[in-house]
PDB file of all heavy atoms in Angstrom:
ATOM      1  N   LEU A  70     118.339  93.099  44.343  1.00 82.00           N
ATOM      2  CA  LEU A  70     116.964  93.298  44.119  1.00 82.00           C
ATOM      3  C   LEU A  70     116.205  93.275  45.429  1.00 82.00           C
ATOM      4  O   LEU A  70     115.321  94.067  45.747  1.00 82.00           O
ATOM      5  CB  LEU A  70     116.403  92.158  43.180  1.00 82.00           C
ATOM      6  CG  LEU A  70     114.870  92.299  42.770  1.00 82.00           C
ATOM      7  CD1 LEU A  70     114.594  93.681  42.179  1.00 82.00           C
ATOM      8  CD2 LEU A  70     114.561  91.142  41.868  1.00 82.00           C
ATOM      9  N   SER A  71     116.490  92.196  46.296  1.00 85.00           N
ATOM     10  CA  SER A  71     115.922  92.219  47.601  1.00 85.00           C
ATOM     11  C   SER A  71     116.196  93.406  48.497  1.00 85.00           C
ATOM     12  O   SER A  71     115.348  93.840  49.241  1.00 85.00           O
ATOM     13  CB  SER A  71     116.283  90.878  48.285  1.00 85.00           C
ATOM     14  OG  SER A  71     117.611  90.845  48.673  1.00 85.00           O
ATOM     15  N   ARG A  72     117.454  93.898  48.369  1.00 86.00           N
ATOM     16  CA  ARG A  72     117.715  95.137  49.122  1.00 86.00           C
ATOM     17  C   ARG A  72     116.894  96.364  48.593  1.00 86.00           C
ATOM     18  O   ARG A  72     116.404  97.122  49.451  1.00 86.00           O
ATOM     19  CB  ARG A  72     119.239  95.424  49.081  1.00 86.00           C
ATOM     20  CG  ARG A  72     120.042  94.634  50.002  1.00 86.00           C
ATOM     21  CD  ARG A  72     121.445  95.113  50.144  1.00 86.00           C
ATOM     22  NE  ARG A  72     122.250  95.051  48.986  1.00 86.00           N
ATOM     23  CZ  ARG A  72     123.003  94.068  48.650  1.00 86.00           C
ATOM     24  NH1 ARG A  72     123.149  93.020  49.443  1.00 86.00           N
ATOM     25  NH2 ARG A  72     123.640  94.074  47.491  1.00 86.00           N
ATOM     26  N   ALA A  73     116.748  96.433  47.271  1.00 86.00           N
ATOM     27  CA  ALA A  73     115.953  97.570  46.749  1.00 86.00           C
ATOM     28  C   ALA A  73     114.546  97.378  47.193  1.00 86.00           C
ATOM     29  O   ALA A  73     114.001  98.475  47.491  1.00 86.00           O
ATOM     30  CB  ALA A  73     116.128  97.524  45.228  1.00 86.00           C
ATOM     31  N   VAL A  74     113.893  96.302  47.106  1.00 85.00           N
ATOM     32  CA  VAL A  74     112.525  96.063  47.484  1.00 85.00           C
ATOM     33  C   VAL A  74     112.444  96.321  48.924  1.00 85.00           C
ATOM     34  O   VAL A  74     111.499  96.980  49.380  1.00 85.00           O
ATOM     35  CB  VAL A  74     112.064  94.698  47.018  1.00 85.00           C
ATOM     36  CG1 VAL A  74     110.735  94.421  47.683  1.00 85.00           C
ATOM     37  CG2 VAL A  74     112.058  94.540  45.549  1.00 85.00           C
ATOM     38  N   GLY A  75     113.316  95.841  49.745  1.00 85.00           N
ATOM     39  CA  GLY A  75     113.300  96.067  51.185  1.00 85.00           C
ATOM     40  C   GLY A  75     113.249  97.544  51.514  1.00 85.00           C
ATOM     41  O   GLY A  75     112.638  98.011  52.397  1.00 85.00           O
ATOM     42  N   GLY A  76     114.266  98.276  50.853  1.00 86.00           N
ATOM     43  CA  GLY A  76     114.245  99.682  51.134  1.00 86.00           C
ATOM     44  C   GLY A  76     113.124 100.436  50.685  1.00 86.00           C
ATOM     45  O   GLY A  76     112.668 101.370  51.334  1.00 86.00           O
ATOM     46  N   ALA A  77     112.480 100.068  49.557  1.00 85.00           N
ATOM     47  CA  ALA A  77     111.237 100.687  49.170  1.00 85.00           C
ATOM     48  C   ALA A  77     110.129 100.440  50.046  1.00 85.00           C
ATOM     49  O   ALA A  77     109.333 101.301  50.381  1.00 85.00           O
ATOM     50  CB  ALA A  77     110.900 100.239  47.762  1.00 85.00           C
ATOM     51  N   LEU A  78     109.999  99.225  50.597  1.00 83.00           N
ATOM     52  CA  LEU A  78     109.010  98.900  51.542  1.00 83.00           C
ATOM     53  C   LEU A  78     109.203  99.658  52.888  1.00 83.00           C
ATOM     54  O   LEU A  78     108.255 100.156  53.399  1.00 83.00           O
ATOM     55  CB  LEU A  78     109.020  97.345  51.835  1.00 83.00           C
ATOM     56  CG  LEU A  78     108.392  96.435  50.733  1.00 83.00           C
ATOM     57  CD1 LEU A  78     108.505  95.043  51.058  1.00 83.00           C
ATOM     58  CD2 LEU A  78     106.912  96.861  50.405  1.00 83.00           C
ATOM     59  N   ASN A  79     110.409  99.777  53.280  1.00 85.00           N
ATOM     60  CA  ASN A  79     110.781 100.552  54.539  1.00 85.00           C
ATOM     61  C   ASN A  79     110.307 102.009  54.264  1.00 85.00           C
ATOM     62  O   ASN A  79     109.742 102.642  55.243  1.00 85.00           O
ATOM     63  CB  ASN A  79     112.166 100.450  54.949  1.00 85.00           C
ATOM     64  CG  ASN A  79     112.494  99.123  55.582  1.00 85.00           C
ATOM     65  OD1 ASN A  79     111.572  98.508  56.143  1.00 85.00           O
ATOM     66  ND2 ASN A  79     113.721  98.706  55.640  1.00 85.00           N
ATOM     67  N   ALA A  80     110.678 102.557  53.170  1.00 86.00           N
ATOM     68  CA  ALA A  80     110.317 104.018  52.855  1.00 86.00           C
ATOM     69  C   ALA A  80     108.910 104.149  52.774  1.00 86.00           C
ATOM     70  O   ALA A  80     108.236 105.164  53.346  1.00 86.00           O
ATOM     71  CB  ALA A  80     110.974 104.348  51.533  1.00 86.00           C
ATOM     72  N   ALA A  81     108.101 103.199  52.116  1.00 84.00           N
ATOM     73  CA  ALA A  81     106.600 103.248  52.109  1.00 84.00           C
ATOM     74  C   ALA A  81     106.033 103.224  53.463  1.00 84.00           C
ATOM     75  O   ALA A  81     105.068 103.931  53.814  1.00 84.00           O
ATOM     76  CB  ALA A  81     106.138 102.239  51.220  1.00 84.00           C
ATOM     77  N   ALA A  82     106.530 102.312  54.308  1.00 85.00           N
ATOM     78  CA  ALA A  82     106.026 102.171  55.699  1.00 85.00           C
ATOM     79  C   ALA A  82     106.269 103.468  56.490  1.00 85.00           C
ATOM     80  O   ALA A  82     105.473 103.913  57.274  1.00 85.00           O
ATOM     81  CB  ALA A  82     106.740 100.989  56.433  1.00 85.00           C
ATOM     82  N   SER A  83     107.499 104.094  56.285  1.00 84.00           N
ATOM     83  CA  SER A  83     107.708 105.306  56.987  1.00 84.00           C
ATOM     84  C   SER A  83     106.756 106.390  56.580  1.00 84.00           C
ATOM     85  O   SER A  83     106.249 107.160  57.402  1.00 84.00           O
ATOM     86  CB  SER A  83     109.198 105.709  56.785  1.00 84.00           C
ATOM     87  OG  SER A  83     110.088 104.794  57.370  1.00 84.00           O
ATOM     88  N   ARG A  84     106.512 106.436  55.271  1.00 83.00           N
ATOM     89  CA  ARG A  84     105.596 107.542  54.725  1.00 83.00           C
ATOM     90  C   ARG A  84     104.148 107.279  55.283  1.00 83.00           C
ATOM     91  O   ARG A  84     103.511 108.208  55.700  1.00 83.00           O
ATOM     92  CB  ARG A  84     105.586 107.548  53.222  1.00 83.00           C
ATOM     93  CG  ARG A  84     106.833 108.271  52.648  1.00 83.00           C
ATOM     94  CD  ARG A  84     106.535 108.466  51.112  1.00 83.00           C
ATOM     95  NE  ARG A  84     106.361 107.228  50.460  1.00 83.00           N
ATOM     96  CZ  ARG A  84     107.291 106.606  49.683  1.00 83.00           C
ATOM     97  NH1 ARG A  84     108.343 107.306  49.354  1.00 83.00           N
ATOM     98  NH2 ARG A  84     107.050 105.522  49.099  1.00 83.00           N
ATOM     99  N   ALA A  85     103.739 105.992  55.304  1.00 79.00           N
ATOM    100  CA  ALA A  85     102.440 105.742  55.814  1.00 79.00           C
ATOM    101  C   ALA A  85     102.228 106.071  57.265  1.00 79.00           C
ATOM    102  O   ALA A  85     101.243 106.605  57.618  1.00 79.00           O
ATOM    103  CB  ALA A  85     102.151 104.277  55.545  1.00 79.00           C
ATOM    104  N   ASP A  86     103.304 105.726  58.080  1.00 78.00           N
ATOM    105  CA  ASP A  86     103.286 106.192  59.488  1.00 78.00           C
ATOM    106  C   ASP A  86     103.277 107.572  59.642  1.00 78.00           C
ATOM    107  O   ASP A  86     102.522 108.145  60.468  1.00 78.00           O
ATOM    108  CB  ASP A  86     104.559 105.526  60.154  1.00 78.00           C
ATOM    109  CG  ASP A  86     104.481 105.650  61.669  1.00 78.00           C
ATOM    110  OD1 ASP A  86     103.462 105.366  62.210  1.00 78.00           O
ATOM    111  OD2 ASP A  86     105.558 106.032  62.261  1.00 78.00           O
ATOM    112  N   GLY A  87     104.021 108.390  58.824  1.00 77.00           N
ATOM    113  CA  GLY A  87     104.004 109.788  58.958  1.00 77.00           C
ATOM    114  C   GLY A  87     102.609 110.419  58.629  1.00 77.00           C
ATOM    115  O   GLY A  87     102.108 111.319  59.236  1.00 77.00           O
ATOM    116  N   LEU A  88     101.916 109.838  57.542  1.00 73.00           N
ATOM    117  CA  LEU A  88     100.713 110.337  57.132  1.00 73.00           C
ATOM    118  C   LEU A  88      99.635 109.981  58.268  1.00 73.00           C
ATOM    119  O   LEU A  88      98.807 110.806  58.511  1.00 73.00           O
ATOM    120  CB  LEU A  88     100.325 109.696  55.838  1.00 73.00           C
ATOM    121  CG  LEU A  88     101.062 110.088  54.610  1.00 73.00           C
ATOM    122  CD1 LEU A  88     100.660 109.280  53.384  1.00 73.00           C
ATOM    123  CD2 LEU A  88     100.816 111.572  54.348  1.00 73.00           C
ATOM    124  N   MET A  89      99.736 108.859  58.840  1.00 72.00           N
ATOM    125  CA  MET A  89      98.825 108.457  59.957  1.00 72.00           C
ATOM    126  C   MET A  89      98.962 109.423  61.122  1.00 72.00           C
ATOM    127  O   MET A  89      97.867 109.794  61.692  1.00 72.00           O
ATOM    128  CB  MET A  89      99.002 107.012  60.421  1.00 72.00           C
ATOM    129  CG  MET A  89      98.489 106.032  59.428  1.00 72.00           C
ATOM    130  SD  MET A  89      96.655 106.076  59.174  1.00 72.00           S
ATOM    131  CE  MET A  89      96.166 105.557  60.780  1.00 72.00           C
ATOM    132  N   GLN A  90     100.156 109.831  61.375  1.00 73.00           N
ATOM    133  CA  GLN A  90     100.315 110.642  62.543  1.00 73.00           C
ATOM    134  C   GLN A  90      99.782 112.094  62.267  1.00 73.00           C
ATOM    135  O   GLN A  90      99.437 112.800  63.142  1.00 73.00           O
ATOM    136  CB  GLN A  90     101.815 110.739  63.014  1.00 73.00           C
ATOM    137  CG  GLN A  90     102.250 109.386  63.587  1.00 73.00           C
ATOM    138  CD  GLN A  90     103.736 109.509  63.963  1.00 73.00           C
ATOM    139  OE1 GLN A  90     104.455 110.444  63.749  1.00 73.00           O
ATOM    140  NE2 GLN A  90     104.279 108.400  64.556  1.00 73.00           N
ATOM    141  N   GLN A  91      99.770 112.513  60.982  1.00 73.00           N
ATOM    142  CA  GLN A  91      99.353 113.796  60.664  1.00 73.00           C
ATOM    143  C   GLN A  91      97.890 113.746  60.217  1.00 73.00           C
ATOM    144  O   GLN A  91      97.277 114.831  60.060  1.00 73.00           O
ATOM    145  CB  GLN A  91     100.141 114.389  59.479  1.00 73.00           C
ATOM    146  CG  GLN A  91     101.596 114.525  59.804  1.00 73.00           C
ATOM    147  CD  GLN A  91     102.398 114.988  58.435  1.00 73.00           C
ATOM    148  OE1 GLN A  91     101.867 114.920  57.400  1.00 73.00           O
ATOM    149  NE2 GLN A  91     103.677 115.090  58.724  1.00 73.00           N
TER     150      GLN A  91
END
Side-chain angles (χ1 to χ4, degrees):
L70 184 58
S71 68
R72 281 194 293 269
V74 169
L78 287 175
N79 283 337
S83 294
R84 279 191 301 250
D86 188 44
L88 289 174
M89 284 298 292
Q90 289 179 0
Q91 295 173 0

